[in-house]
Amino acid sequence: NAGVTQTPKFQVLKTGQSMTLQCAQDMNHEYMSWYRQDPGMGLRLIHYSVGAGITDQGEVPNGYNVSRSTTEDFPLRLLSAAPSQTSVYFCASSKEGGWMNTEAFFGQGTRLTVV
Amino acid sequence: AQKITQTQPGMFVQEKEAVTLDCTYDTSDPSYGLFWYKQPSSGEMIFLIYQGSYDQQNATEGRYSLNFQKARKSANLVISASQLGDSAMYFCAMHGSGYALNFGKGTSLLVTP
């Protein structure tokens, strides 16, 4: 049972380059989300999806695109990398449960450095 | 909009002692869930405990318990009998109708021998 798998674990980009952070889950969860973690800021929501074909913006969406063509995959695209996007990125998934316990399962994180 | 506040950037506790990590929240959703996650130095996010807004009793999971005071909008994490392995960042988070988790800025806990 792999849970939530993120690739790559580490990445260095040059300013202006584009790349895709991959996220896959094998738990048939409807809900997936991307967060970035910066020192002293906690985790901030970038984009989320409540099911295949449905995505929406979170707190800090600028500079990022997402799509959800399948239940399993939720890639995050950096269109034109900037040093301000240097961060640790986490993908998470959870089953829909309303007010019930909808524990989010996190991937191992991707440490991205933009130079 | 939801907001989570963790006012303790860093905490120290001696091994085998109990420690309370503070979390206050603000939301207009009538139904919501509160979570605590642990992030050790290795970086992964580990789920610790959950409290639903309609739960009648405070949640407990082993050495972790949640002191939930709904009227005060607080959901403090209590770790009993601290261990050296408890040294980590601890995040309080909540979700409402949108399922998105809103996180506090975290508390760094250091357990000393």
Side-chain angles (χ1 to χ4, degrees):
Chain A
N1 188 358
V4 179
T5 303
Q6 285 183 241
T7 55
K9 288 185 171 53
F10 301 94
Q11 183 71 48
V12 179
L13 285 179
K14 293 182 178 179
T15 297
Q17 285 185 318
S18 62
M19 79 158 294
T20 299
L21 279 62
Q22 301 291 343
C23 176
Q25 52 93 7
D26 61 358
M27 297 172 282
N28 201 32
H29 285 167
E30 298 92 348
Y31 189 84
M32 297 185 73
S33 51
W34 277 101
Y35 298 85
R36 60 177 288 172
Q37 183 179 19
D38 302 295
M41 298 294 292
L43 279 76
R44 293 181 292 170
L45 183 67
I46 305 172
H47 285 284
Y48 66 95
S49 169
V50 298
I54 306 169
T55 64
D56 206 347
Q57 297 180 351
E59 179 185 357
V60 288
N62 292 341
Y64 307 95
N65 271 357
V66 292
S67 60
R68 183 99 178 266
S69 56
T70 67
T71 299
E72 294 78 18
D73 300 301
F74 191 44
L76 178 72
R77 298 183 189 85
L78 280 70
L79 308 173
S80 177
S84 61
Q85 293 178 304
T86 293
S87 188
V88 179
Y89 291 84
F90 285 97
C91 178
S93 76
S94 61
K95 61 182 179 180
E96 185 175 355
W99 54 267
M100 298 177 68
N101 184 355
T102 52
E103 172 196 345
F105 294 82
F106 284 81
Q108 292 295 308
T110 296
R111 186 173 294 274
L112 175 68
T113 302
V114 183
V115 298
Chain B
Q2 298 175 342
K3 185 177 180 181
I4 293 281
T5 303
Q6 295 181 253
T7 58
Q8 306 153 313
M11 292 279 288
F12 291 88
V13 66
Q14 206 158 17
E15 201 176 5
K16 300 180 185 177
E17 297 292 315
V19 63
T20 298
L21 307 183
D22 293 341
C23 173
T24 58
Y25 61 92
D26 191 20
T27 181
S28 57
D29 289 328
S31 299
Y32 50 88
L34 293 153
F35 300 79
W36 278 91
Y37 282 85
K38 172 184 179 182
Q39 186 179 44
S41 58
S42 52
E44 70 268 31
M45 297 291 289
I46 302 169
F47 166 74
L48 294 178
I49 196 167
Y50 166 84
Q51 179 83 45
S53 59
Y54 290 114
D55 291 344
Q56 295 298 311
Q57 294 186 330
N58 287 345
T60 60
E61 289 287 347
R63 294 186 299 110
Y64 304 106
S65 61
L66 207 152
N67 184 0
F68 180 49
Q69 299 188 41
K70 194 171 180 178
R72 294 187 176 185
K73 293 188 175 180
S74 73
N76 299 338
L77 177 70
V78 180
I79 305 175
S80 63
S82 297
Q83 302 172 354
L84 295 178
D86 293 334
S87 293
M89 282 291 292
Y90 289 81
F91 292 98
C92 180
M94 74 177 298
H95 79 75
S97 57
Y99 308 115
L101 280 174
N102 289 288
F103 284 85
K105 294 185 177 181
T107 296
S108 177
L109 177 66
L110 181 62
V111 181
T112 59

